[in-house]
Amino acid sequence: MAFKVLLVGESWTTSETHFKGFDQFGSVHFHTGADPLLKALKGTEFEVDYMTAHEAAEGFPFEMEGLKPYDIIILSDIGANTFLLPPDVWLRSKCVPNRLRLLKEWVAEGGNLIMMGGYFSFQGIDGKARWRRTPVEEVLPVTCHPWDDRVEIPEGAVAELTAPEHAVFAGVDGEWPPILGVNEVEVKAGAEVLARLPEDQGGHPLLVTGTFGKGRTAAWTSDIGPHWLSPAFCDWPGYKQLWVNVLGWLVAR
């Protein structure tokens, strides 16, 4: 049986100015951070549609019928404003459906949602991701802080499994490679923390699961690729197995 997954976000554009004495010129680069996860899920029972952050502004569905084909939606490194300020609102001052409310309704009716960490996940860098006190935060198993929630770990941190017998860790053997950062969150009552940072590095939740209505939800507070995930983590055999298991748990009933 195949499951349909929509991965939203994990892309960005950089603009650079180059100075050479009196002269200067500019360059623009487009980047994606989704490749490790897309590669890991290729050929599995999870068929992934990938929607970049700039596509999501207009391309993410405005109606429930657009979400119903998907068993799982992954929000990864994309801020709430992309969903709240599509061109019709930002440029034309029109009323449109609130897609954060739509996501909440979709989960309540049986959809499965996971938010991955990053600079524009949870509350994010300078608090600009702005997921706090949104309908999406209501369905997640964690709440966001009202500030810049990044925890940078340049020395690296190795995850501690708080529920090693859980199904999401089946076949994920050996010590995990290091991660270089997480978003700091608060765990909701009734949610289950499956992995966290070591106590001497803050003990912050890393993988948390929960439910909302008829749906299942999860929060992974680190990246799905560099920079917070080391190359060793992305190349680790456990990487693929971990995400197959996590997505499998989301759709299990």
Side-chain angles (χ1 to χ4, degrees):
M1 180 178 180
F3 298 97
K4 291 286 292 181
V5 180
L6 178 60
L7 169 60
V8 189
E10 278 301 330
S11 72
W12 64 100
T13 302
T14 58
S15 176
E16 302 171 331
T17 302
H18 306 255
F19 296 92
K20 295 192 174 184
F22 181 86
D23 299 300
Q24 68 182 53
F25 66 94
S27 63
V28 177
H29 301 277
F30 175 73
H31 312 265
T32 66
D35 289 350
L37 185 62
L38 294 175
K39 180 181 177 182
L41 295 178
K42 188 174 183 179
T44 71
E45 61 186 329
F46 300 102
E47 298 178 354
V48 184
D49 289 340
Y50 176 38
M51 182 179 291
T52 60
H54 66 276
E55 292 174 319
E58 291 187 278
F60 191 85
F62 287 87
E63 305 293 340
M64 185 63 71
E65 287 305 309
L67 297 182
K68 283 184 177 179
Y70 294 103
D71 301 290
I72 299 170
I73 292 177
I74 302 171
L75 301 177
S76 188
D77 214 349
I78 183 171
N81 279 332
T82 297
F83 301 90
L84 294 170
L85 296 172
D88 270 350
V89 175
W90 176 243
L91 299 177
R92 306 176 190 104
S93 299
K94 294 181 178 180
C95 292
V96 303
N98 186 325
R99 291 178 287 181
L100 305 191
R101 293 181 181 273
L102 185 66
L103 273 168
K104 177 182 175 181
E105 182 183 349
W106 175 76
V107 175
E109 293 181 3
N112 306 288
L113 179 71
I114 180 170
M115 181 174 284
M116 307 293 200
Y119 271 34
F120 273 89
S121 298
F122 302 100
Q123 201 66 354
I125 187 169
D126 298 332
K128 291 180 178 178
R130 298 188 66 250
W131 289 105
R132 176 177 165 83
R133 293 185 176 176
T134 66
V136 168
E137 187 197 47
E138 291 181 47
V139 311
L140 292 175
V142 300
T143 57
C144 306
H145 291 295
W147 51 71
D148 186 325
D149 61 9
R150 293 169 303 133
V151 180
E152 303 287 356
I153 315 168
E155 73 277 21
V158 176
E160 292 184 352
L161 307 188
T162 54
E165 301 305 316
H166 195 282
V168 302
F169 301 130
V172 183
D173 302 318
E175 185 176 273
W176 290 27
I179 60 175
L180 300 174
V182 296
N183 297 92
E184 182 181 4
V185 296
E186 291 287 335
V187 178
K188 290 181 180 177
E192 186 176 7
V193 179
L194 304 184
R196 65 174 191 172
L197 301 191
E199 197 62 42
D200 64 356
Q201 291 177 300
H204 300 291
L206 177 61
L207 179 59
V208 186
T209 58
T211 60
F212 184 85
K214 297 178 182 178
R216 288 188 168 189
T217 63
W220 168 260
T221 62
S222 193
D223 261 324
I224 60 171
H227 81 280
W228 274 350
L229 286 195
S230 62
F233 200 113
C234 297
D235 293 337
W236 171 49
Y239 178 92
K240 175 176 181 175
Q241 190 63 55
L242 174 65
W243 292 118
V244 168
N245 290 351
V246 170
L247 299 187
W249 177 85
L250 284 169
V251 295
R253 293 293 189 272

